Amino acid sequence: MQVELAQLTGRDGDTAHNLAQALQAIAACRAGTRLLVFPETYLTGFPTPENVAALAEPLNGPSLTAIGKAAAARGLAIAIGFAEDDDGTFYNTTVLMDGQDIVLAYRKTHLWASDRGVFAPGDRYGTALLDGVRVGLLVCFDIEFPESARALGELGAELLIVTNGNMDPYGPTHRTAIMARAMENQAYAVMANRVGAGDDGLVFAGGSAAVDPNGSLLLEAGREPCAQTIDLDFHRLAEARRDYRYLEERRIALPGTRIDHANGVRELLIP
């Protein structure tokens, strides 16, 4: 599977600008790309308590509708973040779309300092199938908690997708974390981060990356806007899991209620 990481600048609170950049990235993606990954809350930027109600959109809102149409025209799957409005409750949400279809929606479970007071935390982890590969989603701060990726591992994840909004001086933290999470769960992991200046003097750290099931970096971007492409060979999963089977050999399983849906989505509800 060819995966492309869209490491872009963005504007907080300017959905029209961010949507235009996302549509341009979709139009410009490289031939053969199947999955295009954007940063955390990319469509809306990071909202505040004062503007989240005006910025947030439902899953069937105009921004994701436009993304879906553009993705369908290119035969793409898209992972992209936005501020979700679910009947007046707001979530930091990332969706995995295959063309116009939402394959999986994930609400960030670990809220960072700037999320608190703006978003409600999600209550579940999930995986879904994309071209026969079981994929799970995480958002930024989630990757710093081993249990988040392990929940996806327990749900069979072969690819961890992280939409990221990590800023200085914490770039090295997520570089270390994504390598560890891939190794611990013997899965591929990809992470797309934002770059450039944000509100309140924040500078986003870039460093979008892809990691193999042994925890080794396959690529790492710098600090400038770019598109990075990697081919992931999922036949290597068997090789990585030949001598070590961490999930099978663990002594403690995560708590929670597992639900297997008819459409192939698997969820773990957080107790």
Side-chain angles (χ1 to χ4, degrees), residues 1 3 5 37 133 143 149 157-162 164 171-192 207-221 228-234 236-237 240-241:
M1 180 187 293
V3 179
L5 306 178
V37 183
V133 175
I143 199 67
E158 298 166 304
L159 172 62
L160 312 176
I161 299 173
V162 184
N164 209 17
T173 301
H174 282 201
R175 182 183 192 271
T176 300
I178 195 171
M179 294 169 69
R181 301 297 88 84
M183 186 206 75
E184 291 163 350
N185 295 284
Q186 297 174 297
Y188 282 102
V190 297
M191 176 173 69
S208 299
V211 184
D212 75 10
N214 295 310
S216 299
L217 276 172
L218 298 173
L219 69 81
E220 184 177 24
Q228 296 277 349
T229 304
I230 186 76
D231 285 305
L232 303 183
D233 180 4
F234 288 94
R236 291 190 60 197
L237 291 173
R241 298 171 179 181

Side-chain angles (χ1 to χ4, degrees), residues 16 27 49-50 79 98 120 189 217 244:
E50 292 74 30
D98 191 2
L217 276 172
Y244 296 93

Side-chain angles (χ1 to χ4, degrees), residues 33-75:
T33 292
R34 176 67 177 109
L35 171 64
L36 181 59
V37 183
F38 289 89
E40 177 185 14
T41 62
Y42 186 71
L43 287 173
T44 54
F46 290 103
T48 66
E50 292 74 30
N51 68 10
V52 64
L55 286 174
E57 298 183 16
L59 290 174
N60 62 353
S63 295
L64 285 188
T65 298
I67 291 292
K69 289 179 180 178
R74 292 297 308 270

Side-chain angles (χ1 to χ4, degrees), residues 119-139:
F119 296 118
D123 66 353
R124 68 194 64 200
Y125 297 99
T127 64
L129 291 172
L130 178 67
D131 297 350
V133 175
R134 186 155 291 279
V135 176
L137 301 172
L138 295 174
V139 179

Side-chain angles (χ1 to χ4, degrees), residues 2-228:
Q2 183 170 304
V3 179
E4 190 166 326
L5 306 178
Q7 179 168 285
L8 302 171
T9 61
R11 294 181 185 170
D12 295 322
D14 192 343
T15 302
H17 170 83
N18 299 331
L19 175 59
Q21 288 212 137
L23 293 175
Q24 183 178 14
I26 291 170
C29 76
R30 296 175 189 173
T33 292
R34 176 67 177 109
L35 171 64
L36 181 59
V37 183
F38 289 89
E40 177 185 14
T41 62
Y42 186 71
L43 287 173
T44 54
F46 290 103
T48 66
E50 292 74 30
N51 68 10
V52 64
L55 286 174
E57 298 183 16
L59 290 174
N60 62 353
S63 295
L64 285 188
T65 298
I67 291 292
K69 289 179 180 178
R74 292 297 308 270
L76 288 174
I78 303 284
I80 194 165
F82 75 114
E84 179 193 355
D85 182 355
D86 182 13
D87 198 23
T89 301
F90 307 113
Y91 297 96
N92 184 331
T93 297
T94 288
V95 295
L96 175 64
M97 305 181 73
D98 191 2
Q100 298 184 67
D101 297 326
I102 295 178
V103 176
L104 187 65
Y106 168 71
R107 294 166 171 171
K108 187 177 183 180
T109 53
H110 294 87
L111 301 184
W112 200 67
S114 59
D115 292 317
R116 298 174 199 137
V118 179
F119 296 118
D123 66 353
R124 68 194 64 200
Y125 297 99
T127 64
L129 291 172
L130 178 67
D131 297 350
V133 175
R134 186 155 291 279
V135 176
L137 301 172
L138 295 174
V139 179
C140 198
F141 193 36
D142 289 325
I143 199 67
E144 298 182 41
F145 295 85
E147 298 85 359
S148 298
R150 177 49 49 87
L152 299 183
E154 288 192 359
L155 296 172
E158 298 166 304
L159 172 62
L160 312 176
I161 299 173
V162 184
T163 57
N164 209 17
N166 192 25
M167 72 290 291
D168 291 338
Y170 306 114
T173 301
H174 282 201
R175 182 183 192 271
T176 300
I178 195 171
M179 294 169 69
R181 301 297 88 84
M183 186 206 75
E184 291 163 350
N185 295 284
Q186 297 174 297
Y188 282 102
V190 297
M191 176 173 69
N193 197 22
R194 187 170 152 181
V195 290
D199 291 346
D200 301 324
L202 297 177
V203 178
F204 292 93
S208 299
V211 184
D212 75 10
N214 295 310
S216 299
L217 276 172
L218 298 173
L219 69 81
E220 184 177 24
R223 298 179 61 90
E224 300 300 320
C226 64
Q228 296 277 349

